Amino acid sequence: MPTDALTKEELQKMADPTLGGTIGETMAQPEVDRFSVDDEKFIKFHGIYQQDDRDLRKTGKTYIMMIRARITGGIVSAEQYLALDDLATRHANDTLRITSRQTFQWHGVMKSGLGPLMKGLNEALISTIAACGDVNRNVLAPSTPSTSPLADLVQADALRVSDALLPQTKAYHEIWVNGGPLKLTPDQKLAFEDPLYRRNYLPRKFKIAFAIPPLNDTDIFANCLGFAAIADPANPARLLGYNVLCGGGLGMSHGNEATFPRAADVLGFIPADRVVETAKAVMIAFRDHGDRTNRKHARLKYVLAEKGPAWFRAEVEERAGFKLEPARAAVFTKQGDRFGWHRQSDGRWFLGMYVETGRIKDTPERRLKTALRSVVAEFRPEVRLTTSQNLILAGIPEEQREAINRRLAEHGVPVDRQVAAVRLNSMACVAMPTCGLALAESERVFPQLLDRLEALFTELALGDEDIVVRMTGCPNGCARPYMAEIGLVGRAPGKYNLHLGGVFAATRINRVYREGVKFDDIIAELRPLLARWKQERLPGERFGEFVDRAVPPPEVPPAKSAA
Ligand code: SRM
Ligand code: SF4
């Protein structure tokens, strides 16, 4: 391909395939408060985003960093959690943010705090390499203990896949662990070639999720590559292999019909011992066929949408050196996390904790950050993150449960009925003030929306119904609103597109019901539909299914309030 057709990101990767740029040199200059425009792109491959606090823009730009860890399958030890919490207090904005891909982010880190934070993370054996950038991202796996006898096997496979797809550049280690620039000449840098990613890496980000049917707790259909675990029908504890799903992805741009969210296709089945080779083959096929001329069209989903699953399967088979078998029967019926105390299959207990918008912080009413620190420091549970931005304390002996309940209660953190059912399946992206792409608020206004929704449920006597409701500040879809029963997608300050009709199993994309709804009008849009749902629903019919069955697709009239 002629280089003048390539995006500037492609040219930049090829100009320094070690991805080191001048990051090390900039880190050695304490008086410099930001990275160069080129290095802004390289640091993403190291798990770092250069941002600015958008609330403060009127008084000048303040550079801050967001750091994202790589925590495959969302599991950290008690010791690691304490270290991560401490780093948040010392170098970030005193919060830990659980992301929709079951890892942690630190926000508001000044450049002066970046070196110590990265060093601290690596000392806790938590890396941030490839948490962002045109590479394979954090691999998702079911993290709730005992939801399936296959859970540990699937977690182990997720780790193997994640490790096998790590970039091999030494730049990360040199800069953040050894604390200096990569000691290579410009020619040596130019000559570096990663065995899998070669010199220009992937055309765009690449995302993998594992799930164990019937529970789709990782939103597998929203990923570039999914592995749906298949148990031996004669022995549910034996992992036969995986159905392979390809071509899911959610990001889109308003007003650009060439961009769209897409649910993955099922390509076939592989035995469990071929999972790493299959992951490599799919990623390499994407490397070879993704669009490197237009980043808005560069995701794997567009290859699948345009060339078709059969064509792509053949490309994967050619690279893997084996054929995919026909997909096995597997049905997803539900999603979501488990809250409160549950017994694990080993007799110990886990505690599922709802974390509003994934933000672990202290407020006057609920000192969640302090409470978690105290519980983890004393009782040493394993800490697990879910892809719905929630947290699990796992491996707890029976005799510790009461003391943990008491400790949480002392900090205003309930265990039994943590929040109303309508809030439990909710998620919001970060958006303002740190996300440079936000068109509207999300995390900061979401609690208020949930308050109103809860009041509406009371008004309509909907009782303890739950509903999957997700909000994002722009159409990139970071909280996966296109798979939700109620999805709100930021359009402009204070205005959202309302998406309805997702299914509980999150197997398909919902549809736009109304465009440009004012934040204050969202409940008024939902009231008649929820009232109808109550009156007209079939037995057990969820809101998303009801909308899909009984509410005809509108011609998407803009709300009166739309711009
Ligand atoms: Fe995302 C970009 C936050 C999950 C699709 N996402 C961003 C950035 C980094 C903004 C930027 O590029 O400057 C956001 C940083 C905000 C901040 O201040 O923290 C951001 N994305 C997040 C997180 C933290 C949302 C959350 O509240 O949990 C999630 C971190 C995941 C992780 O730990 O790795 C997050 N992002 C997702 C998901 C959901 C998923 O992967 O399951 C999606 C939709 C799935 C997909 O990829 O298609 C998603 N993020 C995007 C996109 C659209 C990509 C596209 O295909 O067009 C962007 C924009 C981009 O890449 O240019 C984006
Ligand atoms: Fe930012 Fe948009 Fe992602 Fe929200 S959905 S975090 S506003 S990029």
Side-chain angles (χ1 to χ4, degrees):
M1 181 176 301
T3 51
D4 59 359
L6 296 175
T7 61
K8 58 181 183 315
E9 286 83 358
E10 292 300 317
L11 300 176
Q12 191 186 338
K13 287 179 276 183
M14 287 192 290
D16 184 355
T18 70
L19 308 171
T22 56
I23 303 170
E25 289 79 353
T26 307
M27 287 303 293
Q29 296 172 274
E31 68 285 4
V32 177
D33 68 346
R34 56 161 304 179
F35 292 97
S36 68
V37 174
D38 276 357
D39 282 351
E40 256 182 20
K41 301 220 161 45
F42 283 132
I43 56 173
K44 293 185 185 181
F45 290 85
H46 301 231
I48 303 164
Y49 278 83
Q50 180 156 282
Q51 304 179 317
D52 73 294
D53 186 331
R54 295 179 60 180
D55 284 346
L56 303 178
R57 270 189 192 171
K58 282 197 183 114
T59 53
K61 231 175 182 180
T62 316
Y63 290 101
I64 44 176
M65 314 286 158
M66 177 271 274
I67 292 86
R68 183 182 289 164
R70 182 178 190 85
I71 305 177
T72 307
I75 302 182
V76 296
S77 67
E79 288 69 25
Q80 286 175 320
Y81 180 82
L82 294 172
L84 307 188
D85 171 86
D86 187 50
L87 291 168
T89 308
R90 286 198 287 133
H91 304 297
N93 63 357
D94 205 19
T95 72
L96 274 170
R97 178 56 154 73
I98 307 172
T99 75
S100 57
R101 293 191 73 78
Q102 66 184 161
T103 185
F104 284 121
Q105 281 185 185
W106 292 261
H107 285 107
V109 180
M110 307 300 287
K111 179 167 163 281
S112 54
L114 182 61
L117 186 128
M118 294 293 281
K119 194 162 178 296
L121 286 176
N122 281 287
E123 281 167 4
L125 302 183
I126 297 284
S127 178
T128 63
I129 190 165
C132 320
D134 298 341
V135 280
N136 173 49
R137 304 288 189 90
N138 204 41
V139 176
L140 308 185
S143 56
T144 308
S146 309
T147 43
S148 156
L150 300 182
D152 291 347
L153 297 169
V154 170
Q155 271 281 345
D157 276 347
L159 206 54
R160 290 200 301 133
V161 165
S162 174
D163 287 349
L165 302 185
L166 281 176
Q168 297 301 307
T169 169
K170 299 277 178 292
Y172 181 90
H173 195 83
E174 281 300 319
I175 297 168
W176 305 112
V177 181
N178 294 343
L182 186 60
K183 292 173 201 69
L184 292 180
T185 64
D187 283 349
Q188 286 170 323
K189 282 187 180 180
L190 205 56
F192 175 77
E193 181 163 320
D194 185 278
L196 273 181
Y197 292 102
R198 294 197 181 144
R199 294 181 57 251
N200 51 356
Y201 294 79
L202 302 179
R204 208 61 164 85
K205 59 181 88 173
F206 183 74
K207 297 186 171 180
I208 303 179
F210 285 73
I212 309 175
L215 178 61
N216 186 12
D217 54 352
T218 57
D219 248 339
I220 189 170
F221 289 86
N223 284 265
C224 305
L225 169 60
F227 290 109
I230 306 294
D232 182 346
N235 176 6
R238 186 166 160 256
L239 177 64
L240 280 188
Y242 296 96
N243 278 351
V244 179
L245 286 71
C246 283
L250 301 184
M252 56 165 281
S253 304
H254 291 309
N256 179 353
E257 283 180 10
T259 64
F260 46 83
R262 182 176 194 275
D265 298 297
V266 181
L267 293 197
F269 170 86
I270 51 145
D273 61 2
R274 290 191 151 163
V275 69
V276 170
E277 291 320 304
T278 307
K280 282 186 183 168
V282 172
M283 196 179 83
I284 292 171
F286 171 48
R287 179 196 70 193
D288 297 346
H289 292 292
D291 186 348
R292 292 182 187 266
T293 66
N294 173 5
R295 285 180 71 81
K296 288 224 173 285
H297 184 254
R299 298 293 300 273
L300 178 62
K301 65 182 172 181
Y302 297 116
V303 177
L304 268 287
E306 284 153 28
K307 306 257 191 180
W311 178 88
F312 190 69
R313 182 173 54 233
E315 291 293 314
V316 172
E317 290 173 343
E318 190 186 314
R319 285 162 179 80
F322 53 81
K323 294 251 181 247
L324 271 58
E325 298 170 30
R328 302 288 167 93
V331 181
F332 288 102
T333 58
K334 56 186 176 177
Q335 61 172 289
D337 294 335
R338 297 177 75 188
F339 300 96
W341 287 106
H342 299 273
R343 200 184 269 281
Q344 298 176 187
S345 46
D346 63 5
R348 294 181 298 166
W349 292 79
F350 74 86
L351 174 62
M353 297 182 69
Y354 171 77
V355 182
E356 193 170 69
T357 67
R359 186 73 68 175
I360 300 178
K361 64 179 178 188
D362 283 352
T363 63
E365 307 76 43
R366 198 175 279 218
R367 292 191 298 131
L368 180 62
K369 184 165 178 291
T370 307
L372 282 173
R373 183 170 183 87
S374 168
V375 167
V376 175
E378 180 164 348
F379 303 98
R380 303 274 151 177
E382 195 173 57
V383 177
R384 297 179 169 219
L385 311 180
T386 77
T387 66
S388 298
Q389 302 171 336
N390 294 312
L391 181 140
I392 296 162
L393 301 176
I396 298 172
E398 164 85 46
E399 60 276 13
Q400 292 181 350
R401 288 174 59 203
E402 266 319 304
I404 291 177
N405 284 345
R406 273 198 306 277
R407 184 69 52 83
L408 292 172
E410 281 160 23
H411 292 84
V413 179
V415 165
D416 285 337
R417 188 178 159 78
Q418 299 179 10
V419 284
V422 67
R423 305 177 97 103
L424 284 176
N425 270 324
S426 65
M427 197 157 54
C429 77
V430 177
M432 297 288 284
T434 54
C435 178
L437 306 177
L439 303 173
E441 294 277 354
S442 180
E443 180 180 330
R444 296 198 293 196
V445 297
F446 196 56
Q448 197 184 343
L449 180 73
L450 291 178
D451 288 345
R452 293 178 186 182
L453 198 58
E454 193 179 331
L456 180 60
F457 267 52
T458 309
E459 175 195 318
L460 297 175
L462 278 164
D464 251 3
E465 292 288 348
D466 74 287
I467 205 156
V468 180
V469 48
R470 297 174 176 175
M471 176 182 250
T472 57
C474 86
N476 283 322
C478 298
R480 300 188 291 273
Y482 309 115
M483 316 297 285
E485 292 178 285
I486 300 176
L488 290 149
V489 176
R491 244 200 114 86
K495 288 186 181 166
Y496 299 84
N497 284 359
L498 174 58
H499 292 241
L500 298 176
V503 280
F504 192 46
T507 49
R508 62 152 198 254
I509 305 294
N510 56 20
R511 56 179 150 93
V512 186
Y513 174 76
R514 199 75 91 209
E515 288 188 349
V517 182
K518 273 190 186 159
F519 181 77
D520 284 338
D521 294 341
I522 292 171
I523 295 298
E525 291 284 356
L526 291 174
R527 183 178 282 105
L529 295 169
L530 287 164
R532 273 191 61 196
W533 174 46
K534 185 173 182 212
Q535 296 300 327
E536 302 170 26
R537 69 195 288 195
L538 304 173
E541 192 175 38
R542 292 190 59 102
F543 181 63
E545 294 161 358
F546 167 76
V547 171
D548 198 47
R549 176 180 65 79
V551 181
E555 286 156 30
V556 196
K560 287 193 197 82
S561 54

